[in-house]
Amino acid sequence: MSDLSAFPIATRWPAKYPDRLQLYSFPTPNGVKVSIALEELGLPYEPHAIDIGKNESWTPEFLSLNPNGKIPAIIDPDGPDGKPLGLFESGAILLYLAEKTGKLIPADAAGRYETIQWVFFQMAAIGPIFGQVGFFYKFGGREIEDKRPLERYRDESKRLLGVLETRLDGRDWIMGDQYTIADISMLGWVRNLIGFYGARDLVEFDSLKRVPAWLERGLARPAVQRGLDIPKRP
Ligand SMILES: N[C@@H](CCC(=O)N[C@@H](CS)C(=O)NCC(=O)O)C(=O)O
């Protein structure tokens, strides 16, 4: 039986199944990347809901695993050399899971780096910029009279969607025939932009062809549908 006693987070969110990978998350675009990947991979895991609406990611127990106070984070009791590994940052977790299993990433070195490149593109651009559109269009920032911040992030989001539209020319998935962690990193964000943030018209989503078709293909995957709802909101 795995010993997670070195991880203070496991005192506040105890593991029923300590031999399984422990997921500390919430069903947001960053959180669902990991639950979707785990569902795709069929790895046994135990999800714990960290209610960010109640600031649970800022508790000392959560901060002991991720000093940056953000979901998702994991503990893999069966990490490198068979020792437990704690990890935060969704991109790092996706890469770790892909390399652990040899799935959701091409086996050849060039394809592997190309996939990592697109995951970094998501982490550095799609996530932060779409998140700002969410703030300035749907949340607190919508009250701000000066519309330049919203316009800036709207225009940048349209540009980034354009990059995806071009990349998907002649490809079903970001890496072509193979569905990878690059797709998983982005599906939840594009879905959120036009769904939860309500920015479909703002970013002229319907003027695109390939991105909507890719989103539909991704959302049709049963593992994606399951992962989008894990962990369940309390
Ligand atoms: N770069 C981080 C970002 C994680 C992130 O922003 N998580 C958000 C939810 S999508 C969060 O935990 N917010 C809680 C808060 O800031 O209080 C990653 O990809 O893991």
Side-chain angles (χ1 to χ4, degrees):
M1 172 121 92
S2 302
D3 179 14
L4 301 181
S5 60
F7 295 92
I9 194 165
T11 56
R12 184 168 180 143
W13 289 279
K16 262 195 217 138
Y17 308 99
D19 290 336
R20 297 184 190 173
L21 191 146
Q22 303 292 306
L23 169 65
Y24 307 92
S25 189
F26 210 57
T28 69
N30 287 318
V32 299
K33 291 177 203 170
V34 181
S35 39
I36 290 172
L38 287 164
E39 289 294 322
E40 294 281 5
L41 292 167
L43 281 179
Y45 70 102
E46 181 174 356
H48 302 272
I50 310 299
D51 192 341
I52 58 174
K54 292 190 179 147
N55 288 327
E56 286 183 348
S57 64
W58 299 102
T59 56
E61 294 88 350
F62 188 87
L63 289 168
S64 70
L65 184 58
N66 181 0
N68 192 35
K70 308 265 177 193
I71 61 94
I74 62 165
I75 300 173
D76 183 358
D78 182 26
D81 303 321
K83 294 190 189 131
L85 175 77
L87 211 55
F88 63 88
E89 279 296 327
S90 57
I93 298 171
L94 286 180
L95 191 54
Y96 171 70
L97 294 175
E99 299 208 317
K100 178 184 168 87
T101 56
K103 294 181 182 156
L104 299 175
I105 195 161
D108 66 294
R112 179 176 166 277
Y113 281 115
E114 204 177 326
T115 308
I116 293 173
Q117 159 192 277
W118 285 103
V119 172
F120 272 60
F121 166 79
Q122 185 284 310
M123 296 297 294
I126 297 268
I129 298 295
F130 287 11
Q132 296 304 323
V133 169
F135 176 77
F136 286 104
Y137 191 59
K138 163 138 184 170
F139 300 111
R142 76 176 188 282
E143 314 288 352
I144 297 171
E145 251 173 63
D146 184 344
K147 292 300 164 201
R148 280 174 297 180
L150 172 63
E151 286 162 10
R152 176 181 164 88
Y153 294 117
R154 174 202 64 196
D155 292 349
E156 184 62 356
S157 295
K158 284 162 78 172
R159 192 188 67 76
L160 293 170
L161 287 168
V163 173
L164 286 184
E165 182 76 2
T166 303
R167 173 68 186 181
L168 289 166
D169 189 5
R171 293 182 178 91
D172 273 358
W173 304 110
I174 298 291
M175 287 303 295
D177 290 340
Q178 190 177 353
Y179 167 81
T180 67
I181 53 171
D183 300 288
I184 293 178
S185 72
M186 294 187 220
L187 282 168
W189 271 107
V190 176
R191 171 181 177 263
N192 220 54
L193 181 70
I194 60 167
F196 188 53
Y197 294 166
R200 186 180 199 110
D201 292 341
L202 182 79
V203 298
E204 296 173 12
F205 191 73
D206 295 318
S207 70
L208 306 167
K209 287 195 178 63
R210 298 168 204 126
V211 176
W214 161 86
L215 180 63
E216 207 179 306
R217 262 193 301 282
L219 294 179
R221 296 180 71 92
V224 172
Q225 282 304 318
R226 291 195 302 274
L228 286 170
D229 203 25
I230 297 174
K232 289 240 175 282
R233 282 168 191 270

